[in-house]
Amino acid sequence: MMVVHTEEVSAAGARVRRRARGVPDPRERSWWLQADHPLPLGLRRPEDGPLRLIAATECTVLAGFREPTAIAANLDRLDVHGLADVVTVLRRPDQAEALLYALGLLFATGRAAQISLARRVTVAAARSADEPVLARVVELARHHGDDPGVLLSIFLHEVRIAPGDVLQIGSGMVYGLVSGRALHVTRRRGSTIAVGLSLEPVATGAVLQRLGAKVGPARLVPGVGSGSLLNYPAVDGITLAQVASGHAQVHLGPKAVAVALGCDGWVEEGPRRRSILAGGPAVGLPPGLVRVGSRGRLAIFADAEDLSDRRSPAAAEAASALDDVE
């Protein structure tokens, strides 16, 4: 008993110390990010599972690899010394192999060489700003000059999402929030590996070992339902629902929480109504049949078994259609 108690106290103390230092708790299931300027690119580790971004405002996200031949065409147009071998590798027939070898060539060099290449790429991109992908390089360099992440951005799809949209970030996917404010929901926050647009050096070995070299952008997850309530398929043990511009009755288990996206929300607890502040932390919801609502959007998530009795046949069909989403 004493050993267990000591471990629990130590774990609690560690969480307090992390919060005091501004270090995220890897066990968190939700957190906010706001990009007043492009945020660092990160690799979602496979061991941490997929996550979903729920847009509170219009957002721009870099997520998922473009076709290697399209990347090669952009790099070839730059005509920058040091990219010839990368362009050649990107034209290999095996797309996953092409991406892994190309990124290995870029990040296996020292930090000084990466900075020098990023500078040359930025200068060359400014001469080809009629191409949207290269214009984006110039814009990113205004905030993250000399960072190798500006070159990595050429490899990534740009996805724009509207308030309430749900974007799935798969395990092993590189992504970054360029603009907007979004709620992140997952089984556990874990630890993202920095791969650019930050002051951290890229851990090449860790990145190449965990990278999911799949071509295609991050996917929008459709919600199904009627009235104000939209249900989303469970992903990695977490079920998600949204109440949009109205109210709904939902049956909840003991671990459900709600987050208000754009406007304050509310939950009825017997005779009284409790507020859920917009943009605030997750608020625990009482178990059982609960009435919730918002003039904007309210996200509700829980362990899958807690909300399983709320899923309609249409939601189950949506889940089946999304079995290949990672």
Side-chain angles (χ1 to χ4, degrees):
M1 291 294 293
M2 288 300 293
V3 172
V4 173
H5 178 69
T6 301
E7 289 176 348
E8 289 175 351
V9 171
S10 298
R15 290 195 294 273
V16 170
R17 289 192 294 272
R18 277 197 298 267
R19 285 195 295 269
R21 299 196 310 268
V23 178
D25 185 345
R27 303 185 311 164
E28 286 180 318
R29 294 197 302 174
S30 68
W31 65 97
W32 286 100
L33 283 181
Q34 178 162 330
D36 298 317
H37 56 78
L39 297 182
L41 296 172
L43 171 65
R44 180 70 183 170
R45 302 189 311 170
E47 56 263 44
D48 294 331
L51 65 81
R52 284 177 281 192
L53 272 67
I54 309 172
T57 65
E58 291 185 352
C59 294
T60 301
V61 184
L62 297 179
F65 288 116
R66 300 170 59 221
E67 292 279 346
T69 53
I71 301 168
N74 290 139
L75 297 183
D76 203 22
R77 181 177 178 182
L78 292 175
D79 192 24
V80 168
H81 174 69
L83 289 179
D85 289 343
V86 177
V87 170
T88 299
V89 164
L90 284 168
R91 288 175 173 152
R92 291 187 177 187
D94 186 313
Q95 292 184 324
E97 180 184 86
L99 288 168
L100 285 172
Y101 271 93
L103 292 171
L105 288 172
L106 289 175
F107 291 127
T109 60
R111 183 72 174 175
Q114 293 173 14
I115 291 173
S116 176
L117 181 58
R119 288 174 179 170
R120 298 197 301 273
V121 165
T122 300
V123 171
R127 296 195 295 264
S128 304
D130 58 310
E131 167 59 50
V133 172
L134 301 181
R136 185 173 69 208
V137 168
V138 178
E139 181 61 28
L140 290 173
R142 290 176 183 162
H143 301 279
H144 300 279
D146 302 342
D147 191 289
V150 300
L151 180 54
L152 180 58
S153 72
I154 299 175
F155 284 65
L156 301 175
H157 281 281
E158 181 178 294
V159 183
R160 299 189 178 187
I161 53 178
D165 283 349
V166 177
L167 188 70
Q168 178 112 343
I169 304 297
S171 301
M173 180 175 281
V174 174
Y175 77 101
L177 186 63
V178 176
S179 65
R181 180 174 171 82
L183 178 70
H184 295 54
V185 175
T186 183
R187 175 176 54 85
R188 68 186 301 272
R189 181 168 188 162
S191 301
T192 300
I193 302 175
V195 291
L197 306 186
S198 72
L199 298 176
E200 297 182 45
V202 176
T204 306
V207 169
L208 296 180
Q209 288 172 12
R210 292 174 169 85
L211 188 70
K214 297 180 179 180
V215 173
R219 298 192 189 184
L220 284 173
V221 182
V224 295
S226 59
S228 299
L229 182 64
L230 289 175
N231 288 287
Y232 298 83
V235 173
D236 200 27
I238 298 295
T239 295
L240 173 68
Q242 280 195 73
V243 177
S245 301
H247 56 81
Q249 279 193 321
V250 292
H251 193 279
L252 303 174
K255 300 177 184 177
V257 298
V259 180
L261 300 180
C263 299
D264 290 351
W266 50 265
V267 53
E268 289 183 355
E269 297 178 327
R272 71 187 186 94
R273 177 177 286 190
R274 179 160 57 105
S275 294
I276 303 173
L277 299 180
V283 173
L285 299 177
L289 191 61
V290 177
R291 188 177 176 87
V292 295
S294 173
R295 291 186 296 107
R297 290 180 177 272
L298 196 67
I300 303 170
F301 58 95
D303 292 345
E305 60 270 22
D306 291 344
L307 301 180
S308 59
D309 56 348
R310 278 182 31 249
R311 280 182 53 184
S312 64
E317 183 179 345
S320 176
L322 286 168
D323 282 343
D324 61 339
V325 176
E326 296 184 352

